[in-house]
Amino acid sequence: MDLMGMMGKLRETQQKIEETKKRLDTVLIDEQSSDSLLKVTVTANNKIKSITIDDTLLEDKDQLEDYLILVMNKAIEKATAVNQAELDAVTKVDLPSIPGMEDMFK
């Protein structure tokens, strides 16, 4: 592949990456505590969309804080995995393997 062709491919891939990132804003990840007292929804771009807290958790601040940390971390882990898989799919399909450029578009 010539240099101009490669530059065109890089621009095309960057555009696909940006389109994928926009689409990931619409992909929702739901997570909840094991007893369903706290529910969180985040996008695949790690933006919090909603938090639902059962009234019983409002009586115990420490418990609520623990629930928030646990459930938010699980939601963020799932969202990050979806995000990474989607972006990896775009870059692996379109880009030639060039040593040292694997993480350039992330």
Side-chain angles (χ1 to χ4, degrees), residues 68-82:
L68 280 168
I69 291 168
L70 291 171
V71 175
M72 291 298 299
N73 281 334
K74 285 198 300 188
I76 290 169
E77 282 178 28
K78 286 182 179 180
T80 300
V82 169

Side-chain angles (χ1 to χ4, degrees), residues 16-103:
K16 286 182 180 180
I17 288 169
E18 292 307 316
E19 290 169 2
T20 300
K21 286 180 180 180
K22 285 180 187 174
R23 185 177 55 76
L24 289 173
D25 277 332
T26 66
V27 175
L28 300 179
I29 312 296
D30 295 314
E31 188 59 55
Q32 64 183 8
S33 60
S34 59
D35 55 10
S36 300
L37 295 178
L38 185 115
K39 298 176 184 176
V40 173
T41 301
V42 298
T43 70
N45 281 329
N46 292 324
K47 303 276 191 279
I48 299 168
K49 296 303 270 184
S50 70
I51 298 175
T52 305
I53 302 170
D54 187 275
D55 289 342
T56 59
L57 285 176
L58 298 178
E59 299 166 10
D60 186 344
K61 181 179 181 276
D62 289 335
Q63 183 181 14
L64 175 56
E65 290 172 348
D66 289 343
Y67 271 55
L68 280 168
I69 291 168
L70 291 171
V71 175
M72 291 298 299
N73 281 334
K74 285 198 300 188
I76 290 169
E77 282 178 28
K78 286 182 179 180
T80 300
V82 169
N83 183 294
Q84 190 66 52
E86 291 289 323
L87 292 177
D88 283 351
V90 171
T91 58
K92 280 187 174 56
V93 168
D94 291 336
L95 288 178
S97 180
I98 301 171
M101 292 186 69
E102 294 87 8
D103 296 324

